[in-house]
Amino acid sequence: MSTRGLEISIAWRYLRSRRGSRLLSFITVIAMGGVIVGVSALVVIMGVMNGLQTDLREKILVASPDIRVLNFGEDLRISDWRAIQARVAGQRGVVAAAPFVLGEALANVPGRKYAGGVQVMGIMPSGGKGPDVTPIRSKAVTGDFRFATRDGKRRGIVLGRLLADRFSATIGTPIRLAVAAGQEVSSITGSIIPRISEFEVTGIFETGMYEYDNQYVVMDLEAAQALVGLGGAVTGIEVRTTDRWAAPALALTLSDTLGFPYRTIDWQQQNSALFRALKLEKLGMAVILALITLVAAFNIVSTLTMVVRDKQREIGILKAMGLTAGAVRRIFLTQGIVIGVVGTGIGLAIGLGTGVALDQYHLIVLDPQIYFIDHLPVRTELLDILLIALASLAVATLATVYPAAQAARLYPVEAIRSE
């Protein structure tokens, strides 16, 4: 048998239980268990944090574009929007650009007492030229985004599913919208006289994000302009880019190109507080769970130290027979590497399996009113898996250095006499 084969054979023998010393086998399992728990917990938590970021990002961008072009002016409107749209659409990296209107209104179904506040969004109807800027038109569960009513006019509105449930509205239900923005104050009473318009529900959409499904009323661009009192102006231009992650740089380019009084805001700026909080939480959870792996490292150190103590006489005999200090060191390094590799492998399998089960079967249900999503999503990224595996193996290997060096320093005569 070669020297390397002898080293591996001895290392494997020391890891196994034998009569009268089953404790060593037990503590070896405990050491592996620490690695398994640490690795599997890291895989699941990192997958959950990635899933939360990805799911929230995709849901937010259903109705929120990569970039918005807005105005610094007092009226917060863009009058010459067609010229601005043409300039934005011609910019390199822009896939599509379209006008939009945003406003707030009070909604009520005629004949019913309940009224509630809603967010009004005016967009171009579906079926237009070029690609859509946002995928909200693909989220219709009933009806469509053509906004066409039975009289041939574009007086239709599309409600979020939760909003439709709140108003008990279905296709064909009339809804009145009252808007106070831009209205004159009555000279007699001193109160604001709102503009009231009646629309017809022509569709219902569902994005999975509570804010959109519970608050948004989507209508034809021209109808929204008339409702909000913008005339021929719009709130801004929404932009879709070729690469979402390049949107911040493109937003700066557009801002420089258009100049004052125009400004741009990318999708990360629109939700910066939320995404920063998620990143910080991901980092914090990773640091906390990494401590579990460090505990596993201490378990490995204590396990191998006990093996050295228990096998001290055998090590002395082996060294007396010619086994070098380097070979003794490698025997215990091999034990630590085996514990690390087996523990890491099982931990990765358990972590990945748990992540798949959580994501596929929605095992953890969340309140969408609080978390924006209805279940805990899990998204495992290859880079995270590689980093976790490498970190676990590195910690396990480093944990063997002290007990291996301790075994290598034993003198044959003293080791044999110790028992």
Side-chain angles (χ1 to χ4, degrees), residues 264-341:
T264 58
I265 179 171
D266 62 77
W267 64 273
Q268 295 186 50
Q269 291 175 313
Q270 294 175 50
N271 308 277
S272 59
L274 176 61
F275 289 121
R276 281 202 304 267
L278 287 174
K279 289 181 180 178
L280 182 61
E281 187 175 0
K282 179 181 178 180
L283 177 61
M285 292 300 295
V287 171
I288 293 172
L289 291 172
L291 296 177
I292 300 177
T293 306
L294 291 179
V295 172
F298 286 116
N299 286 337
I300 295 173
V301 172
S302 61
T303 297
L304 295 183
T305 301
M306 291 182 69
V307 172
V308 171
R309 293 292 184 185
D310 185 75
K311 303 296 184 180
Q312 190 168 346
R313 185 168 182 273
E314 295 181 16
I315 294 171
I317 294 173
L318 290 172
K319 294 188 73 174
M321 294 174 63
L323 197 65
T324 63
V328 173
R329 187 182 297 109
R330 286 192 293 272
I331 289 173
F332 288 93
L333 286 174
T334 301
Q335 292 184 67
I337 292 172
V338 169
I339 292 173
V341 170

Coordinates of all heavy atoms in Angstrom, one line a residue, residues 264-341:
T264 N -35.0 62.4 -14.4 CA -35.3 61.0 -14.6 C -35.2 60.3 -13.2 O -34.4 60.7 -12.4 CB -34.3 60.3 -15.6 OG1 -33.0 60.5 -15.1 CG2 -34.5 60.9 -17.0
I265 N -35.9 59.2 -13.1 CA -35.8 58.4 -11.9 C -35.9 56.9 -12.4 O -36.8 56.6 -13.1 CB -37.0 58.8 -10.9 CG1 -36.9 57.9 -9.7 CG2 -38.3 58.7 -11.6 CD1 -37.8 58.3 -8.6
D266 N -35.0 56.1 -12.0 CA -35.0 54.7 -12.4 C -35.7 53.9 -11.4 O -36.1 54.3 -10.3 CB -33.5 54.2 -12.6 CG -32.7 54.3 -11.3 OD1 -32.9 53.4 -10.5 OD2 -31.9 55.2 -11.2
W267 N -35.9 52.6 -11.7 CA -36.7 51.7 -10.9 C -36.1 51.5 -9.5 O -36.8 51.2 -8.5 CB -36.9 50.4 -11.6 CG -35.7 49.6 -11.8 CD1 -34.8 49.7 -12.9 CD2 -35.1 48.5 -11.0 NE1 -33.8 48.8 -12.8 CE2 -33.9 48.1 -11.6 CE3 -35.5 48.0 -9.8 CZ2 -33.1 47.1 -11.1 CZ3 -34.7 47.0 -9.2 CH2 -33.6 46.5 -9.9
Q268 N -34.8 51.5 -9.4 CA -34.1 51.4 -8.1 C -34.4 52.6 -7.2 O -34.6 52.4 -6.0 CB -32.7 51.1 -8.2 CG -32.3 49.8 -8.9 CD -30.9 49.5 -8.9 OE1 -30.2 49.5 -7.9 NE2 -30.3 49.1 -10.1
Q269 N -34.4 53.8 -7.8 CA -34.6 55.0 -7.0 C -36.1 55.1 -6.5 O -36.4 55.6 -5.4 CB -34.3 56.2 -7.8 CG -32.8 56.4 -8.1 CD -32.5 57.6 -9.0 OE1 -33.2 57.7 -10.1 NE2 -31.6 58.4 -8.7
Q270 N -37.0 54.6 -7.4 CA -38.4 54.6 -7.0 C -38.7 53.8 -5.8 O -39.6 54.1 -5.0 CB -39.2 54.1 -8.2 CG -39.2 54.9 -9.4 CD -39.9 54.3 -10.6 OE1 -41.0 53.9 -10.5 NE2 -39.3 54.3 -11.7
N271 N -37.9 52.7 -5.5 CA -38.1 51.8 -4.4 C -36.8 51.6 -3.6 O -36.5 50.5 -3.2 CB -38.6 50.5 -4.9 CG -39.9 50.7 -5.8 OD1 -41.0 50.8 -5.3 ND2 -39.6 50.6 -7.1
S272 N -36.0 52.7 -3.5 CA -34.6 52.5 -3.0 C -34.7 52.1 -1.5 O -33.9 51.2 -1.1 CB -33.9 53.9 -3.1 OG -34.6 54.9 -2.4
A273 N -35.6 52.6 -0.7 CA -35.6 52.2 0.7 C -35.9 50.7 0.9 O -35.3 50.0 1.7 CB -36.7 53.0 1.4
L274 N -36.8 50.2 0.1 CA -37.2 48.8 0.2 C -36.0 47.9 -0.2 O -35.7 46.9 0.5 CB -38.4 48.5 -0.7 CG -38.9 47.1 -0.8 CD1 -39.3 46.5 0.6 CD2 -40.0 46.9 -1.8
F275 N -35.4 48.2 -1.3 CA -34.3 47.3 -1.8 C -33.1 47.4 -0.9 O -32.4 46.5 -0.7 CB -33.9 47.7 -3.2 CG -35.0 47.2 -4.2 CD1 -35.6 48.2 -5.1 CD2 -35.4 45.9 -4.3 CE1 -36.6 47.8 -6.0 CE2 -36.4 45.5 -5.2 CZ -37.0 46.4 -6.0
R276 N -32.8 48.6 -0.4 CA -31.7 48.8 0.6 C -31.9 47.9 1.8 O -31.0 47.3 2.4 CB -31.4 50.2 0.9 CG -30.7 51.0 -0.1 CD -30.0 52.2 0.5 NE -31.0 53.1 1.1 CZ -31.6 54.1 0.6 NH1 -31.4 54.4 -0.7 NH2 -32.5 54.8 1.3
A277 N -33.2 48.0 2.3 CA -33.5 47.2 3.5 C -33.3 45.7 3.3 O -32.8 45.0 4.1 CB -34.9 47.5 3.9
L278 N -33.7 45.2 2.1 CA -33.6 43.8 1.8 C -32.1 43.4 1.7 O -31.8 42.3 2.1 CB -34.3 43.5 0.4 CG -35.9 43.5 0.5 CD1 -36.4 43.4 -0.9 CD2 -36.4 42.4 1.4
K279 N -31.3 44.3 1.1 CA -29.9 43.9 1.0 C -29.2 43.9 2.3 O -28.4 43.0 2.6 CB -29.2 45.0 0.1 CG -29.5 44.9 -1.4 CD -28.8 45.9 -2.2 CE -29.1 45.8 -3.7 NZ -28.4 46.8 -4.5
L280 N -29.6 44.9 3.2 CA -29.0 44.9 4.5 C -29.5 43.7 5.3 O -28.7 43.1 6.1 CB -29.4 46.2 5.2 CG -28.9 46.4 6.7 CD1 -27.4 46.4 6.6 CD2 -29.4 47.7 7.3
E281 N -30.7 43.3 5.2 CA -31.3 42.1 5.9 C -30.6 40.9 5.4 O -30.3 40.0 6.2 CB -32.8 42.0 5.7 CG -33.4 41.0 6.5 CD -34.9 40.9 6.4 OE1 -35.4 41.8 5.6 OE2 -35.6 40.1 7.0
K282 N -30.3 40.8 4.1 CA -29.6 39.6 3.6 C -28.2 39.5 4.1 O -27.8 38.4 4.5 CB -29.6 39.7 2.0 CG -28.8 38.5 1.4 CD -28.8 38.7 -0.1 CE -28.0 37.6 -0.8 NZ -28.0 37.7 -2.3
L283 N -27.5 40.6 4.2 CA -26.2 40.6 4.8 C -26.2 40.2 6.3 O -25.4 39.4 6.7 CB -25.5 42.0 4.6 CG -24.1 42.2 5.2 CD1 -23.1 41.2 4.5 CD2 -23.7 43.6 5.0
G284 N -27.1 40.8 7.0 CA -27.2 40.5 8.4 C -27.5 39.1 8.7 O -26.9 38.4 9.6
M285 N -28.4 38.5 7.9 CA -28.8 37.1 8.1 C -27.6 36.2 7.8 O -27.3 35.2 8.4 CB -30.0 36.7 7.2 CG -31.3 37.4 7.7 SD -31.8 37.0 9.4 CE -32.1 35.2 9.2
A286 N -26.9 36.6 6.7 CA -25.7 35.8 6.3 C -24.6 35.8 7.4 O -24.0 34.7 7.7 CB -25.1 36.3 5.0
V287 N -24.4 36.9 8.0 CA -23.4 37.0 9.1 C -23.8 36.2 10.3 O -23.0 35.5 10.9 CB -23.2 38.5 9.5 CG1 -22.3 38.6 10.7 CG2 -22.5 39.3 8.3
I288 N -25.1 36.3 10.7 CA -25.6 35.6 11.8 C -25.5 34.1 11.6 O -25.1 33.3 12.5 CB -27.1 36.0 12.1 CG1 -27.1 37.4 12.6 CG2 -27.7 35.1 13.2 CD1 -28.5 38.0 12.8
L289 N -25.9 33.6 10.4 CA -25.9 32.2 10.2 C -24.5 31.7 10.0 O -24.2 30.5 10.2 CB -26.8 31.9 8.9 CG -28.3 32.1 9.2 CD1 -29.0 32.0 7.9 CD2 -28.8 31.1 10.2
A290 N -23.6 32.6 9.6 CA -22.2 32.1 9.4 C -21.6 31.7 10.8 O -20.7 30.9 10.9 CB -21.3 33.2 8.8
L291 N -22.2 32.3 11.9 CA -21.7 31.9 13.2 C -22.0 30.4 13.5 O -21.3 29.8 14.3 CB -22.4 32.8 14.3 CG -22.1 34.3 14.2 CD1 -22.9 35.0 15.2 CD2 -20.6 34.5 14.4
I292 N -23.1 29.9 12.9 CA -23.3 28.5 13.0 C -22.2 27.6 12.5 O -21.8 26.6 13.0 CB -24.7 28.1 12.4 CG1 -25.8 28.9 13.0 CG2 -25.0 26.6 12.5 CD1 -27.2 28.7 12.4
T293 N -21.7 28.1 11.3 CA -20.6 27.4 10.7 C -19.3 27.4 11.6 O -18.6 26.5 11.6 CB -20.3 28.0 9.3 OG1 -21.5 28.0 8.5 CG2 -19.2 27.2 8.6
L294 N -19.1 28.6 12.2 CA -18.0 28.7 13.1 C -18.2 27.8 14.3 O -17.2 27.2 14.8 CB -17.9 30.2 13.6 CG -17.5 31.2 12.6 CD1 -17.4 32.6 13.2 CD2 -16.1 30.8 11.9
V295 N -19.4 27.6 14.8 CA -19.6 26.6 15.9 C -19.3 25.2 15.4 O -18.7 24.4 16.1 CB -21.1 26.7 16.4 CG1 -21.4 25.6 17.3 CG2 -21.4 28.1 17.0
A296 N -19.6 24.9 14.2 CA -19.3 23.6 13.6 C -17.8 23.5 13.5 O -17.2 22.4 13.7 CB -19.9 23.5 12.2
A297 N -17.1 24.6 13.3 CA -15.6 24.5 13.2 C -15.0 24.1 14.6 O -14.1 23.3 14.7 CB -15.0 25.8 12.7
F298 N -15.6 24.7 15.6 CA -15.1 24.4 17.0 C -15.4 22.9 17.3 O -14.7 22.2 18.0 CB -15.8 25.3 18.0 CG -15.3 26.7 18.0 CD1 -16.1 27.8 17.7 CD2 -13.9 26.9 18.4 CE1 -15.5 29.0 17.7 CE2 -13.4 28.2 18.4 CZ -14.2 29.3 18.1
N299 N -16.6 22.4 16.8 CA -16.9 21.0 17.0 C -15.8 20.1 16.3 O -15.4 19.1 16.9 CB -18.2 20.7 16.4 CG -19.4 21.2 17.3 OD1 -19.2 21.4 18.4 ND2 -20.5 21.4 16.7
I300 N -15.4 20.5 15.1 CA -14.3 19.8 14.4 C -13.0 19.8 15.2 O -12.4 18.7 15.3 CB -14.1 20.3 13.0 CG1 -15.4 20.1 12.2 CG2 -13.0 19.6 12.3 CD1 -15.4 20.8 10.8
V301 N -12.7 20.9 15.7 CA -11.4 21.1 16.5 C -11.5 20.1 17.7 O -10.6 19.4 18.0 CB -11.2 22.5 16.9 CG1 -10.0 22.6 17.9 CG2 -10.9 23.4 15.7
S302 N -12.6 20.2 18.5 CA -12.7 19.4 19.7 C -12.8 17.9 19.3 O -12.2 17.1 20.0 CB -14.0 19.7 20.4 OG -15.2 19.5 19.6
T303 N -13.4 17.5 18.2 CA -13.5 16.1 17.8 C -12.1 15.6 17.5 O -11.7 14.5 18.0 CB -14.4 16.0 16.5 OG1 -15.7 16.4 16.9 CG2 -14.4 14.5 16.0
L304 N -11.4 16.3 16.7 CA -10.0 15.8 16.3 C -9.1 15.8 17.4 O -8.1 15.0 17.5 CB -9.5 16.6 15.1 CG -10.3 16.5 13.8 CD1 -9.6 17.3 12.7 CD2 -10.4 15.1 13.4
T305 N -9.2 16.8 18.3 CA -8.4 16.9 19.5 C -8.6 15.6 20.4 O -7.7 15.0 20.9 CB -8.7 18.1 20.3 OG1 -8.4 19.3 19.5 CG2 -7.8 18.2 21.6
M306 N -9.9 15.2 20.5 CA -10.2 14.0 21.3 C -9.6 12.8 20.6 O -9.2 11.8 21.2 CB -11.7 13.9 21.5 CG -12.3 14.9 22.4 SD -14.1 14.7 22.6 CE -14.1 13.2 23.6
V307 N -9.7 12.8 19.2 CA -9.1 11.6 18.5 C -7.6 11.5 18.8 O -7.0 10.5 19.0 CB -9.4 11.8 17.0 CG1 -8.6 10.7 16.2 CG2 -10.9 11.6 16.8
V308 N -6.9 12.7 18.7 CA -5.5 12.7 19.0 C -5.2 12.2 20.4 O -4.3 11.3 20.6 CB -4.9 14.1 18.8 CG1 -3.5 14.2 19.3 CG2 -5.0 14.6 17.4
R309 N -6.0 12.6 21.4 CA -5.8 12.1 22.7 C -6.0 10.6 22.8 O -5.3 9.8 23.5 CB -6.7 12.8 23.7 CG -6.4 14.3 23.9 CD -5.1 14.5 24.6 NE -4.9 15.9 24.8 CZ -3.7 16.4 25.4 NH1 -2.8 15.5 25.7 NH2 -3.6 17.7 25.6
D310 N -7.1 10.1 22.2 CA -7.4 8.7 22.2 C -6.5 7.8 21.5 O -6.2 6.7 21.9 CB -8.9 8.5 21.7 CG -9.4 7.1 21.8 OD1 -9.7 6.7 22.9 OD2 -9.4 6.4 20.8
K311 N -5.9 8.4 20.4 CA -5.0 7.6 19.5 C -3.5 7.9 19.8 O -2.7 7.6 18.9 CB -5.4 7.8 18.1 CG -6.8 7.6 17.7 CD -7.2 6.1 17.8 CE -8.6 5.9 17.3 NZ -9.0 4.4 17.5
Q312 N -3.2 8.5 20.9 CA -1.9 9.0 21.1 C -0.9 7.8 21.1 O 0.2 7.9 20.5 CB -1.8 9.6 22.5 CG -0.5 10.4 22.8 CD -0.6 11.3 24.0 OE1 -1.7 11.5 24.5 NE2 0.5 11.7 24.5
R313 N -1.2 6.7 21.7 CA -0.3 5.5 21.7 C -0.1 5.0 20.3 O 1.0 4.6 19.9 CB -0.8 4.4 22.6 CG 0.1 3.2 22.8 CD -0.4 2.4 24.0 NE 0.5 1.3 24.2 CZ 0.4 0.1 23.6 NH1 -0.5 -0.1 22.7 NH2 1.3 -0.9 23.9
E314 N -1.2 4.9 19.5 CA -1.1 4.3 18.2 C -0.3 5.3 17.3 O 0.5 4.8 16.4 CB -2.5 4.2 17.6 CG -3.4 3.1 18.3 CD -4.7 3.0 17.7 OE1 -4.9 3.5 16.5 OE2 -5.6 2.4 18.3
I315 N -0.4 6.6 17.5 CA 0.4 7.5 16.7 C 1.8 7.4 17.0 O 2.7 7.4 16.1 CB -0.1 9.0 17.0 CG1 -1.5 9.2 16.5 CG2 0.8 10.0 16.4 CD1 -2.1 10.5 17.0
G316 N 2.2 7.1 18.3 CA 3.6 6.9 18.7 C 4.1 5.7 18.1 O 5.3 5.7 17.6
I317 N 3.3 4.6 18.0 CA 3.8 3.4 17.4 C 4.1 3.6 15.9 O 5.1 3.1 15.3 CB 2.8 2.2 17.6 CG1 2.8 1.9 19.1 CG2 3.2 1.0 16.8 CD1 1.7 0.9 19.5
L318 N 3.1 4.3 15.2 CA 3.3 4.5 13.8 C 4.5 5.4 13.5 O 5.2 5.1 12.5 CB 2.0 5.3 13.3 CG 0.7 4.4 13.2 CD1 -0.5 5.3 12.8 CD2 0.9 3.3 12.1
K319 N 4.8 6.4 14.3 CA 5.9 7.2 14.1 C 7.2 6.4 14.4 O 8.2 6.6 13.8 CB 5.9 8.5 15.0 CG 4.7 9.4 14.6 CD 4.8 10.7 15.3 CE 5.9 11.6 14.8 NZ 5.9 12.9 15.4
A320 N 7.2 5.5 15.4 CA 8.3 4.7 15.7 C 8.6 3.7 14.5 O 9.8 3.3 14.3 CB 8.1 3.9 17.0
M321 N 7.6 3.4 13.8 CA 7.7 2.5 12.6 C 8.1 3.2 11.4 O 8.3 2.6 10.3 CB 6.4 1.7 12.4 CG 6.0 0.7 13.5 SD 4.4 0.0 13.3 CE 4.7 -0.9 11.7
G322 N 8.3 4.5 11.5 CA 8.8 5.3 10.3 C 7.8 6.3 9.7 O 8.2 6.9 8.7
L323 N 6.6 6.4 10.2 CA 5.6 7.3 9.7 C 6.1 8.8 10.0 O 6.4 9.1 11.2 CB 4.2 7.1 10.3 CG 3.1 7.7 9.5 CD1 2.9 7.1 8.1 CD2 1.8 7.5 10.3
T324 N 6.2 9.6 9.0 CA 6.7 11.0 9.2 C 5.7 11.9 9.9 O 4.5 11.6 9.9 CB 7.1 11.6 7.9 OG1 5.9 11.7 7.1 CG2 8.1 10.7 7.2
A325 N 6.2 13.0 10.4 CA 5.3 14.0 11.0 C 4.3 14.5 10.0 O 3.1 14.8 10.3 CB 6.1 15.1 11.7
G326 N 4.8 14.7 8.8 CA 3.9 15.2 7.7 C 2.8 14.3 7.4 O 1.7 14.7 7.2
A327 N 3.1 13.0 7.4 CA 2.0 12.0 7.2 C 1.0 12.0 8.3 O -0.2 11.9 8.0 CB 2.7 10.6 7.1
V328 N 1.5 12.1 9.5 CA 0.5 12.2 10.7 C -0.4 13.4 10.5 O -1.6 13.4 10.7 CB 1.3 12.2 12.0 CG1 0.3 12.5 13.2 CG2 2.0 10.9 12.2
R329 N 0.3 14.5 10.1 CA -0.5 15.8 9.9 C -1.6 15.6 8.9 O -2.7 16.0 9.0 CB 0.4 16.9 9.6 CG -0.2 18.3 9.5 CD 0.7 19.4 9.1 NE 1.8 19.5 10.1 CZ 3.1 19.1 9.9 NH1 3.4 18.6 8.7 NH2 4.0 19.3 10.8
R330 N -1.2 14.9 7.8 CA -2.2 14.7 6.7 C -3.3 13.8 7.1 O -4.4 13.9 6.5 CB -1.4 14.2 5.4 CG -0.6 15.2 4.7 CD -0.1 14.8 3.4 NE 0.9 13.6 3.5 CZ 2.2 13.8 3.6 NH1 2.7 15.0 3.7 NH2 3.0 12.7 3.7
I331 N -3.0 12.8 8.0 CA -4.1 11.9 8.4 C -5.2 12.7 9.1 O -6.4 12.5 8.8 CB -3.5 10.9 9.4 CG1 -2.6 9.9 8.7 CG2 -4.6 10.2 10.2 CD1 -1.9 8.9 9.6
F332 N -4.9 13.6 9.9 CA -5.9 14.4 10.6 C -6.5 15.5 9.7 O -7.7 15.8 9.9 CB -5.3 15.0 11.9 CG -5.1 13.9 13.0 CD1 -3.8 13.3 13.1 CD2 -6.1 13.5 13.8 CE1 -3.6 12.3 14.0 CE2 -5.9 12.5 14.7 CZ -4.7 11.9 14.8
L333 N -5.7 16.0 8.8 CA -6.2 17.0 7.8 C -7.3 16.2 7.0 O -8.3 16.8 6.6 CB -5.1 17.5 7.0 CG -4.2 18.6 7.6 CD1 -3.1 19.0 6.6 CD2 -5.0 19.8 8.0
T334 N -7.0 15.0 6.6 CA -8.0 14.2 5.8 C -9.3 14.0 6.6 O -10.4 14.1 6.0 CB -7.3 12.9 5.5 OG1 -6.1 13.1 4.7 CG2 -8.3 12.0 4.7
Q335 N -9.2 13.7 7.9 CA -10.4 13.6 8.7 C -11.2 14.9 8.7 O -12.4 14.8 8.5 CB -10.0 13.2 10.1 CG -9.4 11.9 10.3 CD -9.2 11.6 11.8 OE1 -10.1 11.4 12.5 NE2 -7.9 11.5 12.1
G336 N -10.6 16.0 8.9 CA -11.3 17.3 8.8 C -11.9 17.6 7.5 O -13.1 18.0 7.4
I337 N -11.2 17.3 6.4 CA -11.7 17.5 5.1 C -12.9 16.6 4.8 O -13.9 17.0 4.2 CB -10.6 17.3 4.0 CG1 -9.5 18.4 4.2 CG2 -11.2 17.2 2.6 CD1 -8.3 18.2 3.3
V338 N -12.8 15.3 5.3 CA -14.0 14.4 5.1 C -15.2 14.9 5.8 O -16.3 14.9 5.3 CB -13.6 13.0 5.6 CG1 -14.8 12.1 5.7 CG2 -12.5 12.3 4.7
I339 N -15.0 15.4 7.1 CA -16.1 15.9 7.8 C -16.7 17.1 7.1 O -17.9 17.3 7.0 CB -15.7 16.3 9.2 CG1 -15.3 15.0 10.1 CG2 -16.8 17.1 10.0 CD1 -14.7 15.3 11.4
G340 N -15.8 18.0 6.6 CA -16.3 19.2 5.9 C -17.0 18.9 4.6 O -18.1 19.4 4.3
V341 N -16.4 17.9 3.8 CA -17.0 17.6 2.5 C -18.4 16.9 2.7 O -19.4 17.3 2.0 CB -16.1 16.7 1.7 CG1 -16.8 16.1 0.5 CG2 -14.8 17.5 1.3

